[in-house]
């Protein structure tokens, strides 16, 4: 049986993409903060590592500043020694103040 590898996230950019970190690779990595409810009624904030390439990487480099709200869809995949969300589609939701 084949599994489904689909991720949908809505959150805020925590660590903006650093294009200088991987200059020739054609991709950027950044973290997205998402809030989850706990069983006791509280909230916990998780930082999810995300990876984009090609045109999406260019858009993220230009517009994804810290605190910017983003909706994204993608899939989980290993990158270096961590599991990241590889972005397929992206929507920038607000201009940060």
């Amino acid at each position: 049986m084949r599994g489904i590898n689909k991720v949908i996230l809505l959150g805020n950019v925590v660590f903006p993409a650093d294009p200088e970190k991987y200059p020739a690779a054609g991709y950027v990595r950044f973290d997205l903060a998402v809030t989850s409810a706990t069983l006791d009624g509280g909230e916990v904030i998780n930082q999810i590592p995300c990876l984009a390439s090609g045109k999406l990487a260019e858009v993220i480099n230009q517009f994804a500043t810290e605190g910017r709200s983003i909706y994204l869809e993608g899939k989980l995949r290993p990158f270096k020694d961590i599991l990241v969300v590889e972005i397929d589609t992206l929507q920038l939701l607000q201009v940060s103040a």
Side-chain angles (χ1 to χ4, degrees), residues 6-17:
K6 175 101 174 168
V7 176
I8 299 173
L9 293 174
L10 175 62
N12 296 321
V13 175
V14 179
F15 298 114

Side-chain angles (χ1 to χ4, degrees), residues 5-90:
N5 185 358
K6 175 101 174 168
V7 176
I8 299 173
L9 293 174
L10 175 62
N12 296 321
V13 175
V14 179
F15 298 114
D18 183 3
E20 305 301 319
K21 196 167 185 179
Y22 310 108
Y27 61 84
V28 294
R29 197 186 93 49
F30 66 97
D31 286 357
L32 194 69
V34 296
T35 305
S36 303
T38 61
L39 293 176
D40 63 358
E43 289 185 341
V44 64
I45 297 173
N46 298 300
Q47 292 183 11
I48 312 296
C50 301
L51 183 73
S53 60
K55 289 286 187 188
L56 287 175
E58 292 175 22
V59 169
I60 289 167
N61 275 332
Q62 190 170 4
F63 298 108
T65 56
E66 189 165 348
R68 181 80 187 247
S69 292
I70 293 179
Y71 168 87
L72 63 85
E73 295 180 12
K75 57 188 164 287
L76 291 175
R77 81 169 188 108
F79 176 74
K80 306 223 181 244
D81 56 351
I82 61 171
L83 198 58
V84 299
V85 175
E86 183 177 24
I87 301 171
D88 294 326
T89 61
L90 170 80

